[in-house]
Every structure is written in structure tokens, then in C-alpha cells.
Amino acid sequence: MGVTGSGKSSFISLCSGKVVKIGHHLGACTSTVDVYAYEISPRQTVYLIDTPGFDDTNRSDTAILREIASWLGDSYRNNILLNGIIYLHRITDIRMQGSAKKNLIMFKQLCGQDALKKVILVTTMWDKVPTNEAEAREKELIDTPEFWGWMVSKGSSCHRHHNTESSARNIVSKLAAHKTPIATDLQRQLVDEHKSLDQTSAGRELQSEMLKEKEKWARERKEIEEQMKAAIKQRDREAEEMMREERDRYTKMIKKVESDTGALRSTMNNLLAERDKRVERMEQQMREQQAAHEAELKKISERQKRVEKEKAELEKQQRRREKEEEKRRQREREKLDEQRRRREDQEEKEEQQRRSQALTQAPKTSTYSGSTKFAPYSVTITSGKYFCVSQKHFCSNDDNPAQKEGSSWIRAVSLGDHCRTGGRHWIAGYSDGRWCMDP
């Protein structure tokens, strides 16, 4: 136990090795009673109970007392007793502040004198203050009866926590060694004596504090109302409005105290019934959150399936487009190949035509396509006569060779001249593949 920020959650985390939510700002972190198991040895398990302080920023002292009372009362009724209580206090505090005093007073009333022998008063944050100053503050706490002096005189012990695992576990081991468990005044009064919470020592102390606050706020509200009347007489609308807002604020605070006072009038059965309802609401909220979480996961899964399906469809379309594009390119290639083949065929045909024309005689075009090969040209000169023969022309200063019916000569060669007879010999090839010579 201890004020908010005294290091309760950090202490439990160091000792147990469990993850405990730790606050690093002005707001209170622990708002409910939480239990953490710590295996001190293979045969012994310690349960550390983390409680909220009475200066919680989000809940009233009445709500905090009801929370602690319902847990302690229920555990006591089920024969689950405490081996000890650790009360933590910041050594960094220059003096005992109002919230620290209130926590300490409530702690004394909650425990009762008999349980103080099982209480360890622990100072924390020694690394944040010079040693001489910290020791002076520790001495003041122990020597002052209103602070820790009275509890020390009744059997409580004091220890320093150096924010280490060994330091925390050493303190817990001292309490775990006690063989006789304890029952607090609050537990006995609620369960054994069947008192309502407002009739317990802690409840009466809290009511006393709330009554003082109520009386203080009532006086201040009365003063504000008188100032507001004066502002109305002076027709000071701005001052009147300010006083009215301040009066309403005090009225709300007084009503809150009255509501909290009424909430203390609860028996143990009422506290447990309300706690069960609260637990049921929390479980319902958890179920709703779980259902919402599962629904969200289902949406995400469905969305992911849609995305994967769309992705697969896009990939399918892409493959289809690629196939179509490949077919189109193939058709283009085939078309180009066909055009190339036609062009080559045309060129080959034209080449054949040129060759065929080259084989044809110039004066009389012949369609001769025989397989006989002839020399490209020949020239013969004898006795003043000449023959010039080529694939296209035959020239001579005479009319030989003679024409043959049904064919055209395409090759000719002279073999000489018979001077005595005045004749000459020649050989000629004709388009019909025949050869002829001068007799």
C-alpha cells in the first residue's frame, strides 16, 4: 500500500518479474486491486496484492476504500489471510504532504493495532536524494508519532528499498517467513462483526475527513453566496456570473461528498454483490470487445481475400494480355516472314527471268531452256572474215550459219576457211537442243 507514485507497481514488477503497468505521470495507474504470483522457492509461492492509493486522480476515496474492503473481506471469508503488509513512502518527499497523511491515517485504521507487527514501512527512491538528506527524512518519519513513530512502537519495522530485485525480494522474504497470518481490523469488522463500511474504523475516519471537507465547502459556498448578493446589488453582472459559477462548483462538491458518504453505508454482502455486478459488467465489456475484435478480424480476413482475389484476377488478365500480345507479335512475325518469302520468290523469279532472257538470242527471242552450257562469248577471225558470238547476238560479215526451220540458233563457232574452195566450216547450236555444222 502507499500513495500514488510511491513505487508499489515497480516494487512488484522487480520482485515477481511480471509486467506491471507503471505510471510515469501525475495520473494514478493502479485503480483496482491486482494480484501477482511470485515463486519464492519451488515449494513456496507468494502472492503480491497491489492496491490503489487513497489519492487516486480518477476515483474518490470512498470508491478506493470500497474496492479494498470488498477484496479483503471476500478473501477473509474464504480463509485467505495475509502474511504481512508493505507500506511504501517516497524519501524524496520533503515533508509529509496532505495526501500522504491521509493515506497513512487510513492505513492505520484499516490495519488496526494487532496487525502492525506484520507491517514493513519501506522508503523508496534513495537514488534520487543525497544520502544525508534522505537519512534525516527517514529519522523524522521514525521519530514522529503522527508519522511512523506510533506504528514502529507497536512492532512495525522499517527498511530501505534501493530499486533492485534483491532489495525487493529481501523485504518480501521477511514477511513470508512469518508463520502466523494476520487479519486486519477492516476484515474482522466487516465479516466477523457484520458492520457496514461506514461503521468500520477506516469508514469512520473517511467519513470524518469528508465531513470536514463538507463543512469547509459549505462555509465557502455561503461566503460566495454573500459576495454574489453584493454583486447583484451593485449590478456587477460579470462578478455575479463568476460568483454563481463558483457557488455551483461548491454545491457539486458537497453533493459528491453526500453521495460518497451514502456509498459507505454498505455491508459486506452489498460490497460483494456490487463487486460481482461490476465484474459481470467488465466481463460483458470484455466479451463485447472480443466479439468486436473477432468481427474486425473477420472483416480484415474478408478484405484480404477480396484483395487476393482481385490480385489473382489482375494477374490472370495480365497473363491473358501477354498471351494475346505474343500471338499478335507471332502473327506480325509470320506476316513479315510471308512478305519476305514472297519478296525473295519474286526476286528469284525475276532473276530467273533475267537469266532466261540472257539465254535468249537478241534478233529472235528464244524461249530455249535447255540444260546445255555455253561459253558467254567467242570471237573467231579467219581470212578476213569474223564471227562474234554471245548469248544474245551473232554477228558476221556473212549470213552463216543458216536458219533451220522450227528453231533459232543461239550459239555458233567458226572452224576455219577453205581458201581453195572459198567455203568455210562452222558449228551452231539451236534452241531445240540440236547441233548442226556446215557440211
Side-chain angles (χ1 to χ4, degrees):
M1 304 187 74
V3 299
T4 298
S6 59
K8 300 188 295 294
S9 298
S10 298
F11 183 94
I12 291 176
S13 181
L14 277 172
C15 190
S16 66
K18 303 292 177 61
V19 177
V20 182
K21 188 177 179 182
I22 299 171
H24 296 286
H25 49 78
L26 295 177
C29 190
T30 301
S31 57
T32 59
V33 175
D34 292 316
V35 182
Y36 298 88
Y38 157 44
E39 194 173 279
I40 197 169
S41 71
R43 288 185 288 179
Q44 188 177 32
T45 299
V46 171
Y47 294 90
L48 305 172
I49 300 109
D50 192 11
T51 65
F54 285 98
D55 55 343
D56 195 295
T57 52
N58 302 313
R59 305 177 69 191
S60 67
D61 290 342
T62 298
I64 297 300
L65 181 58
R66 287 166 60 87
E67 178 76 24
I68 295 174
S70 62
W71 195 94
L72 288 175
D74 187 42
S75 63
Y76 182 69
R77 288 209 321 188
N78 288 280
N79 201 32
I80 300 173
L81 304 180
L82 301 176
N83 277 64
I85 302 174
I86 301 171
Y87 185 87
L88 289 89
H89 175 82
R90 296 180 297 247
I91 201 65
T92 54
D93 290 352
I94 297 175
R95 59 184 59 87
M96 186 70 74
Q97 303 291 343
S99 59
K101 285 183 179 179
K102 181 171 62 176
N103 264 277
L104 191 58
I105 293 171
M106 290 297 298
F107 176 73
K108 292 177 182 178
Q109 298 297 334
L110 186 150
C111 292
Q113 184 172 325
D114 293 341
L116 292 178
K117 294 178 182 179
K118 303 292 181 67
V119 169
I120 295 182
L121 303 169
V122 177
T123 48
T124 62
M125 305 184 184
W126 280 78
D127 57 329
K128 299 183 182 300
V129 181
T131 304
N132 58 338
E133 292 184 18
E135 289 176 346
R137 293 172 189 172
E138 181 186 46
K139 186 175 185 303
E140 182 183 8
L141 287 171
I142 296 172
D143 292 346
T144 305
E146 292 79 8
F147 300 161
W148 288 3
W150 180 77
M151 292 187 289
V152 171
S153 68
K154 298 301 179 180
S156 300
S157 61
C158 300
H159 291 273
R160 299 174 184 177
H161 174 47
H162 297 286
N163 198 32
T164 62
E165 178 183 318
S166 59
S167 175
R169 292 187 173 184
N170 181 55
I171 292 170
V172 171
S173 297
K174 293 181 181 299
L175 291 176
H178 294 167
K179 301 300 182 183
T180 305
I182 61 170
T184 65
D185 276 4
L186 182 62
Q187 290 174 315
R188 286 195 297 268
Q189 290 167 358
L190 284 173
V191 178
D192 297 338
E193 300 173 18
H194 304 290
K195 290 183 177 180
S196 59
L197 188 56
D198 63 319
Q199 295 173 336
T200 64
S201 301
R204 287 198 302 270
E205 181 62 36
L206 183 56
Q207 281 188 101
S208 175
E209 290 294 323
M210 289 192 296
L211 181 60
K212 292 177 183 178
E213 289 183 346
K214 180 181 177 182
E215 291 175 351
K216 175 185 174 183
W217 291 334
R219 288 194 303 270
E220 293 181 357
R221 184 178 66 174
K222 186 175 181 180
E223 293 178 2
I224 291 294
E225 288 176 344
E226 292 176 355
Q227 293 175 14
M228 187 175 70
K229 290 178 181 178
I232 293 174
K233 287 182 180 180
Q234 297 173 7
R235 299 191 177 186
D236 187 345
R237 299 299 297 274
E238 184 177 353
E240 177 188 350
E241 186 62 28
M242 289 176 61
M243 295 302 105
R244 193 183 304 278
E245 290 178 359
E246 194 69 7
R247 181 200 64 180
D248 294 343
R249 185 173 71 87
Y250 280 117
T251 300
K252 288 180 181 179
M253 292 167 69
I254 293 171
K255 288 183 178 179
K256 179 67 168 58
V257 170
E258 292 172 350
S259 175
D260 288 344
T261 303
L264 287 175
R265 301 188 188 99
S266 300
T267 62
M268 190 65 228
N269 290 333
N270 297 142
L271 291 173
L272 294 178
E274 291 178 11
R275 189 193 65 172
D276 291 342
K277 288 182 180 179
R278 186 170 65 254
V279 170
E280 185 178 350
R281 286 195 301 270
M282 291 175 63
E283 290 176 347
Q284 179 62 28
Q285 290 175 356
M286 291 178 65
R287 286 193 294 270
E288 292 174 354
Q289 291 174 359
Q290 180 66 22
H293 179 65
E294 291 175 355
E296 185 63 25
L297 288 177
K298 185 177 180 180
K299 289 181 181 178
I300 293 173
S301 177
E302 291 175 352
R303 191 181 305 120
Q304 186 174 0
K305 288 180 181 179
R306 287 198 303 270
V307 170
E308 291 176 352
K309 185 177 180 180
E310 292 172 358
K311 182 180 178 181
E313 183 62 27
L314 289 173
E315 291 176 350
K316 184 178 179 181
Q317 293 176 1
Q318 180 65 21
R319 288 193 297 271
R320 189 185 301 118
R321 285 194 295 268
E322 290 175 353
K323 288 182 179 180
E324 292 175 353
E325 180 64 19
E326 180 61 28
K327 289 181 180 179
R328 186 190 66 78
R329 287 196 294 265
Q330 182 64 25
R331 288 194 298 269
E332 289 291 331
R333 287 194 295 269
E334 292 174 354
K335 183 177 179 181
L336 291 173
D337 291 343
E338 180 63 23
Q339 291 175 351
R340 180 178 54 78
R341 285 193 298 270
R342 288 180 181 178
R343 187 167 58 251
E344 291 175 350
D345 291 345
Q346 181 65 24
E347 291 174 352
E348 184 177 356
K349 185 176 181 180
E350 291 175 353
E351 180 64 24
Q352 289 176 355
Q353 289 177 352
R354 285 194 297 271
R355 291 177 181 176
S356 177
Q357 290 175 358
L359 295 175
T360 303
Q361 177 178 313
K364 295 179 181 180
T365 304
S366 173
T367 58
Y368 175 71
S369 59
S371 62
T372 304
K373 302 295 183 179
F374 301 104
Y377 65 87
S378 64
V379 177
T380 301
I381 301 175
T382 57
S383 301
K385 294 183 183 294
Y386 72 88
F387 293 96
C388 180
V389 181
S390 71
Q391 293 179 347
K392 293 184 179 181
H393 301 285
F394 176 83
C395 298
S396 173
N397 55 355
D398 204 343
D399 293 332
N400 291 316
Q403 290 288 111
K404 299 296 181 181
E405 185 178 356
S407 64
S408 302
W409 59 269
I410 58 174
R411 293 288 188 275
V413 62
S414 173
L415 301 178
D417 183 15
H418 295 281
C419 296
R420 289 174 296 186
T421 60
R424 59 182 175 276
H425 298 284
W426 49 266
I427 298 175
Y430 292 85
S431 60
D432 57 0
R434 292 182 296 108
W435 286 84
C436 182
M437 66 179 294
D438 182 37

